[in-house]
Structure formats: C-alpha cells, structure tokens
C-alpha cells in the first residue's frame, strides 16, 4: 500500500515569504523540518529557517559566521572550474564544502494546528560557539515529565553532530553540548524512560564500511550515551537504498514503538517509511515498511529548493491520528495525517 497519508488541503502551510529574515542582509530560502510540541494548549513548531545572503550577478555567495558570531559572505565566480554547485544544499570549492544557507530555529504557535504565527516574546534559537558556526538544523522535540528535550543538528567546519538543549518554558534554555559527535544527525529521544534509562535513535555515518543507518543508544542521564546498536540499514532497490534517519520521537502503541523515518535513494528522492520496535527492548525491530507510507507526489513536494523530498521530524498524536508536520522540497512546511492503525496494518500488525 502506498501513500496512506492525507495531505492537508491548505498545504503548504508556511512558506519562506511568510516570515521576516533574521537581518537585512539575508533572505529566507527555505522553511522546513519543524520540531513539534504542545505547550499551554497550543501547538508549537520549532521551524528550521534556512537563510542565504542576497545573490549578486555572476557570483555565488555563501554565508559564514565569523568568530564573533557575525555573518560574513564568501563570493565564488560561477564560471570558476573549481566550483561544484550541483547540489542546492552544499557547494564545493577546491575540495572544501560550504553550506549555501545557514539555519536557525524559530518558534511558531497555533490554536488550530494550521495557522501559525511567530510567538511574541519568544526568541529564535541560533547557532552558538565553535560547533554551531554553520547553524543549527532539524530539531526534534521530546517531552519527558515537565522538560522538553531539543535534539538538533549542529553544523560547523568541525563536522555535523547532535546538540541537546532543554527547556521547560521555551524562554530559558539549558545548553547541554554535543551528545553525539560527528558525523551524526537525526536524533530523537524516546518520550519515556525504559527500564530506568533514556533511549535515543540517531544516525551516524560511516562512509568506508557501513553507511547511513539508524542506531539506538541508551543513557542514564540523557547526556552520556552508550550500548550503541545498529537497528536499520539501507536496502538495495528500495526507497531507503542510500540513507535513512529517524523522524520524531517514537510513538508508544500496544504493538510496540512506532517510528516514522525518512529514507532516500541514490537520486536523493526522500520518502517516509515506518518501523516498529519492541516495547521492552527497542533495539529489537518487529517490522519495517517494504514500501513507503508517503512519497513526494504533490507538486510542492516535487519542485522547490531541493525537489522530491518529504522529510519529517515532528508530529502530534491525537487518538488514532498522527498529525505529521513535514518539510516539502526543503522549502515549505506542510501537514499530513495518518491513521496509526493503518500504518500498523502495513507492517502486518
Ligand atoms: C538531509 C538534511 C535534511 C534535508 C534532507 C533533504 O537529510 O539536510 O535537513 O531535509 O537532507 O534535502
């Protein structure tokens, strides 16, 4: 069964033109991949805002944060043979990679889950320090007791790792530093402890031997992680043949922990699949999608900043319904819903 998701008919819900850039030198290129949470009776999105410097004719300009946290601009001549600009997300010049955009995270709130406004009196979250100098991306929000755990991608010339910040009120944040060192991303912490321990899904990359696989790890305190186990690998000829990574925190069902994840092919086509993990020992995989539960088929998912992408890292669960927020073409924030039971049926449950 394919595409069992129901897209909201107001999609895309939020697009780059809907928000103001963080300063006058920047333009918002993409709004994507929100972390999702409930707070004070509202639905909150922690949206990734990817900004680019204003482009000049014949040049390709990329933003960088200097040591003082200010944006600097590097210009490359578009005709320079040392420049490889074939991927909209990252360029390479003379063997060195640069991001075309820098991302920060912005808080939006909604009463109905469809119309979102920027939270007044709430600050955006920016990259801070040496390990976030190219920005912060794709935050998962997990709530355990009264604390929200924000796991996000830290990007810097040192590599791509997973950062953790926590908050109780979305105004005061505690920085816990890097919890998974490079290269690692797509980290979601389970929303309850299992046998007294925190669990997290994450995605290290091992290019020579191994690949871009989903791993699970446990921790006594959410900061120090161990007992790493690889639970889901790429599969030749399937929608997740090149890379895969966890979405938001897994959903507890009576059949197991249900995780919606993204899988991409060699051609960078990003689809969503599901995986079911054992309730007592979530390193045991009970079932996994053979076919995607959602594919990029809407026009706004096929064409955009980086086309053919549906990517999720946030949802709200309401009875049997999963209201899933997702990035379409790395450019817009969209909403689709799933029946949990229908997903479980595709997994033979
Ligand atoms: C990577 C990340 C995501 C992005 C996808 C698709 O997984 O950079 O943020 O949405 O690629 O481009």
């Amino acid at each position: 069964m394919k595409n069992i998701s129901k897209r909201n008919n107001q999609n895309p819900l939020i697009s780059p033109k809907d928000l103001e850039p963080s300063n006058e030198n920047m333009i918002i290129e993409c709004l994507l991949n929100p972390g999702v949470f409930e707070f004070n009776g509202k639905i909150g999105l922690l949206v990734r805002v990817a900004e680019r410097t204003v482009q000049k004719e014949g040049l390709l300009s990329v933003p960088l944060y200097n040591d003082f946290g200010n944006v600097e601009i590097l210009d490359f001549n578009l005709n320079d043979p040392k420049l490889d600009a074939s991927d909209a997300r990252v360029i390479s010049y003379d063997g060195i990679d640069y991001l075309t955009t820098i991302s920060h995270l912005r808080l939006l709130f909604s009463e109905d889950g469809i119309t979102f406004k920027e939270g007044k009196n709430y600050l955006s979250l920016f990259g801070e320090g040496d390990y976030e100098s190219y920005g912060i991306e794709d935050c998962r929000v997990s709530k355990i007791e009264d604390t929200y755990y924000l796991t996000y991608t830290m990007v810097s010339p040192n590599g791509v790792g997973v950062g953790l910040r926590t908050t109780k009120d979305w105004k005061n944040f505690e920085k816990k530093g890097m919890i998974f060192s490079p290269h690692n991303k797509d980290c979601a912490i389970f929303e309850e402890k299992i046998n007294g321990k925190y669990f997290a899904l994450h995605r290290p990359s091992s290019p020579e031997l191994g690949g871009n696989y989903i791993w699970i790890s446990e921790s006594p305190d959410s900061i120090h992680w161990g007992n790493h186990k690889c639970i889901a690998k790429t599969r030749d000829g399937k929608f997740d043949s090149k890379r895969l990574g966890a979405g938001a925190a897994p959903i507890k069902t009576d059949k197991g922990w249900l995780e919606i994840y993204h899988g991409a092919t060699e051609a960078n086509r990003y689809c969503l699949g599901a995986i079911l993990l054992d309730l007592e020992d979530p390193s045991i995989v009970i079932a996994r999608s053979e076919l995607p539960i959602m594919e990029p088929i809407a026009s706004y998912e096929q064409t955009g900043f980086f086309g053919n992408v549906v990517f999720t890292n946030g949802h709200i669960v309401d009875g049997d319904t999963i209201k899933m927020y997702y990035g379409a073409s790395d450019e817009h924030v969209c909403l689709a819903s799933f029946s949990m039971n229908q997903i479980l049926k595709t997994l033979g449950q």
Side-chain angles (χ1 to χ4, degrees), residues 153-339:
T153 308
M154 301 171 125
V155 194
S156 80
N158 300 304
V160 172
V162 176
L164 173 67
R165 300 185 195 186
T166 59
T167 185
K168 289 186 200 294
D169 59 6
W170 294 99
K171 294 202 164 149
N172 300 288
F173 294 85
E174 276 186 34
K175 289 172 68 184
K176 306 288 186 182
M178 192 182 280
I179 56 168
F180 290 105
S181 61
H183 186 108
N184 205 318
K185 50 167 49 177
D186 300 327
C187 175
I189 297 181
F190 286 59
E191 292 191 295
E192 64 183 73
K193 292 184 197 167
I194 303 165
N195 299 322
K197 289 184 184 136
Y198 292 90
F199 278 78
L201 301 172
H202 59 107
R203 210 285 298 282
S205 295
S206 177
E208 283 87 22
L209 198 59
N212 299 295
Y213 306 151
I214 298 178
W215 289 62
I216 194 165
S217 304
E218 54 186 59
S219 168
D221 57 6
S222 81
I223 294 172
H224 304 91
W225 295 87
N227 200 12
H228 308 294
K229 290 179 184 159
C230 179
I231 59 164
K233 298 186 179 184
T234 46
R235 299 175 295 184
D236 286 347
K238 292 207 159 70
F239 68 95
D240 46 14
S241 56
K242 180 68 180 169
R243 61 173 66 88
L244 65 159
I251 301 162
K252 194 176 193 184
T253 75
D254 51 7
K255 309 277 188 204
W257 295 100
L258 179 65
E259 173 66 15
I260 299 179
Y261 72 94
H262 68 267
T265 59
E266 285 73 6
N268 283 322
R269 183 170 190 265
Y270 282 71
C271 294
L272 302 179
I275 196 161
L276 190 65
L277 307 173
D278 186 83
L279 282 178
E280 279 295 303
D281 178 358
S283 70
I284 298 171
V285 175
I286 299 169
R288 177 170 166 194
S289 299
E290 293 296 323
L291 296 171
I293 58 168
M294 185 164 170
E295 295 183 81
I297 50 172
S299 57
Y300 47 84
E301 296 161 357
Q302 290 185 330
T303 328
F305 180 77
F306 194 74
N308 285 318
V309 171
V310 287
F311 185 102
T312 188
N313 46 291
H315 55 237
I316 299 282
V317 179
D318 182 4
D320 178 54
T321 304
I322 302 172
K323 292 181 190 164
M324 185 195 75
Y325 293 86
Y326 67 101
S329 288
D330 279 357
E331 187 168 331
H332 311 279
V333 173
C334 293
L335 171 63
S337 59
F338 289 95
S339 149

Side-chain angles (χ1 to χ4, degrees), residues 140-153:
R140 279 78 176 164
V141 178
S142 302
K143 192 175 184 207
I144 306 173
E145 289 149 20
D146 61 348
T147 302
Y148 296 92
Y149 292 73
L150 280 53
T151 48
Y152 59 90
T153 308

